Amino acid sequence: MSIKVNHYAAKTIEPSYYLNFEALVIELSVAVILGVMAIGGYNTGLWVVWVPCGVISACCLVLVLYSLYNYISDKLTRKMVELNDSK
């Protein structure tokens, strides 16, 4: 006894990169706070304060810029694919 199964596969779509604004704002806030602390530590000559704060602040800023770059490049790539598909 056999059973016939009608299976219709759904169309697959490529997931897009979405910008998580909450994480972006948190990272930017941490970068600003640590940047101010690094500047204060530099002005007072405290290497123990300004070097770690400066490094972590720079890393946070790089992560923010990288997130924005990924978001913009994904949007541009999708727009170009849509334009090429419509031809």
Side-chain angles (χ1 to χ4, degrees):
M1 186 157 126
S2 65
I3 298 174
K4 183 178 179 182
V5 176
N6 293 328
H7 180 266
Y8 299 100
K11 290 183 180 179
T12 58
I13 58 171
E14 194 174 308
S16 65
Y17 180 82
Y18 65 94
L19 186 61
N20 190 355
F21 287 109
E22 292 176 6
L24 190 75
V25 170
I26 290 170
E27 287 175 1
L28 192 59
S29 300
V30 169
V32 169
I33 292 168
L34 288 175
V36 169
M37 289 175 64
I39 291 170
Y42 179 76
N43 290 336
T44 58
L46 294 172
W47 282 67
V48 175
V49 175
W50 77 268
V51 172
C53 289
V55 169
I56 296 171
S57 175
C59 290
C60 286
L61 286 175
V62 167
L63 286 174
V64 167
L65 293 175
Y66 184 70
S67 295
L68 289 173
Y69 169 76
N70 275 343
Y71 180 72
I72 292 170
S73 67
D74 184 59
K75 290 294 181 185
L76 291 176
T77 305
R78 287 192 173 275
K79 187 180 284 188
M80 294 303 290
V81 168
E82 288 175 1
L83 287 175
N84 289 338
D85 286 345
S86 65
K87 289 183 180 181

